[in-house]
Amino acid sequence: MSARSVDNDVEGRGMACDELLSLEALLVSRAYLYTLFHKVFGGEPDERLLKLVAASTTEDVLDEYAEECEVLAKLKGFVSVLGQRLSDGHFIAEIRDEYTRFFQGPADLPALPWESAHIGNERMVFQASTLAVREAYCAQGLRLKLCGRMPDDHVSVMCAFMGILAKRALKAFRTRNYEVFRRLMLAQYSFACQHMTNWLPEYSLHALRVQKAFLYPQFAQGVAAFVEVDEVFCTHAIRWVDDAVSVAEYAEAHYSSERYFGEAEAAMSELSALVLRGIEENELTVIGERSSRERSL
């Protein structure tokens, strides 16, 4: 699945369909990548996650950005090689150890995965910026599952938030509800500007301060680069809506999303359903819903 492959399949379609399909390809890709980053940074990796990371769908999605972003092109190459090493139990153990070093300690973490630790006066969490992130979640009807007990501004949680909004935007686009689509894209643009691109570049640089890199330094580079690219995409999508919403040709364009994106969405559903050890600390829930842990208390 890629915008380029969609563009090459032109039989029986008009220019409006081609444009809509190319845009939808990017909407699917960004929803997939934000979900992937959420899982990679959110919980202890296991073989199932690593197989999804190394799957052809991940390569295809990263290919959407490879021409315009060298870092994401390198990440595509990395995941293609990663799959060849997953039969090595020692290598998987190294990745698990790296996860512990990056997110649990007990030694100092090479890269602090919270926004507030990078932009505050002190390298501490639960600062004013953390509350601003919480308010952004609440504005979209979401909250951290362990709200008040874990920082809201972890990189994994932020990616989960962007992934949820990306899926909502994709749904709005497919139903041609452009008012909702525009509002969601604007919310994502604002969140990326205010709470992601302001610290992820520094986070990605700190992640390189290791002697050996198995997974997380590469993905720290990847998420920082992707959010910068996606911030620009959000502005383009908003402008597209402003220009195209009154054009009747778009309203009359019809095609099968399942035909073009079914495989990618099946992979995204599998990724979304993946439950990793410790990931509940970095998951969002709809306001009013209670987590399984809360119901047991």
Side-chain angles (χ1 to χ4, degrees):
M1 185 279 302
S2 72
R4 286 178 286 281
S5 65
V6 165
D7 287 341
N8 290 333
D9 179 16
V10 296
E11 183 178 356
R13 293 205 322 255
M15 291 297 293
C17 274
D18 291 339
E19 189 173 331
L20 290 171
L21 277 165
S22 294
L23 181 54
E24 187 169 334
L26 290 170
L27 293 172
V28 172
S29 296
R30 64 192 298 271
Y32 179 92
L33 282 179
Y34 276 122
T35 304
L36 181 69
F37 286 127
H38 161 55
K39 297 292 183 177
V40 167
F41 294 119
E44 182 179 310
D46 59 18
E47 189 173 354
R48 296 169 301 162
L49 172 64
L50 296 175
K51 284 182 177 179
L52 288 169
V53 169
S56 60
T57 301
T58 303
E59 289 188 59
D60 290 344
V61 167
L62 287 170
D63 189 55
E64 295 282 358
Y65 306 93
E67 289 186 1
E68 61 181 301
C69 180
E70 182 180 357
V71 173
L72 295 176
K74 289 181 178 179
L75 187 61
K76 176 192 171 186
F78 170 74
V79 300
S80 67
V81 174
L82 180 69
Q84 302 170 18
R85 304 189 63 185
L86 294 184
S87 59
D88 183 351
H90 178 71
F91 177 67
I92 294 176
E94 292 278 18
I95 292 177
R96 289 199 182 102
D97 289 344
E98 186 178 65
Y99 169 80
T100 300
R101 293 194 299 275
F102 262 78
F103 298 105
Q104 296 179 338
D108 290 342
L109 307 183
L112 299 177
W114 305 279
E115 178 197 14
S116 52
H118 290 266
I119 69 170
N121 294 327
E122 300 179 23
R123 298 177 70 81
M124 298 173 60
V125 296
F126 284 117
Q127 298 193 53
S129 60
T130 313
L131 298 179
V133 168
R134 184 180 299 176
E135 290 173 1
Y137 298 160
C138 289
Q140 299 298 328
L142 299 166
R143 69 171 180 86
L144 194 65
K145 279 189 175 181
L146 302 183
C147 187
R149 286 178 278 173
M150 303 300 298
D152 306 70
D153 57 351
H154 191 285
V155 58
S156 173
V157 186
M158 290 187 173
C159 289
F161 177 66
M162 292 290 280
I164 291 170
L165 266 58
K167 292 171 186 175
R168 290 178 179 177
L170 175 61
K171 181 179 179 180
F173 176 82
R174 284 177 170 167
T175 58
R176 304 295 183 254
N177 191 337
Y178 291 130
E179 181 180 352
V180 172
F181 176 73
R182 188 187 193 283
R183 186 167 67 246
L184 286 165
M185 297 307 298
L186 181 59
Q188 291 167 88
Y189 170 75
S190 298
F191 188 81
C193 289
Q194 296 171 15
H195 298 294
M196 299 186 82
T197 55
N198 61 327
W199 70 281
L200 285 177
E202 180 178 280
Y203 172 70
S204 69
L205 289 175
H206 289 181
L208 295 176
R209 300 186 301 191
V210 293
Q211 293 183 342
K212 292 183 179 181
F214 295 98
L215 181 73
Y216 294 97
Q218 293 90 334
F219 267 79
Q221 300 289 302
V223 72
F226 173 66
V227 173
E228 289 187 349
V229 171
D230 191 54
E231 181 184 295
V232 176
F233 170 76
C234 289
T235 65
H236 289 170
I238 293 166
R239 284 200 296 267
W240 179 88
V241 170
D242 293 341
D243 292 340
V245 70
S246 62
V247 178
E249 187 179 3
Y250 293 109
E252 296 170 359
H254 299 288
Y255 56 83
S256 170
S257 293
E258 173 64 25
R259 174 188 174 190
Y260 294 101
F261 310 114
E263 184 176 341
E265 290 197 85
M268 182 161 54
S269 295
E270 184 179 359
L271 188 61
S272 298
L274 188 62
V275 178
L276 303 171
R277 181 182 300 175
I279 200 166
E280 190 174 49
E281 296 178 356
N282 297 310
E283 287 191 322
L284 293 165
T285 187
V286 175
I287 291 175
E289 292 184 356
R290 301 173 64 201
S291 69
S292 58
R293 179 177 297 186
E294 287 175 319
R295 288 193 297 269
S296 67
L297 294 178

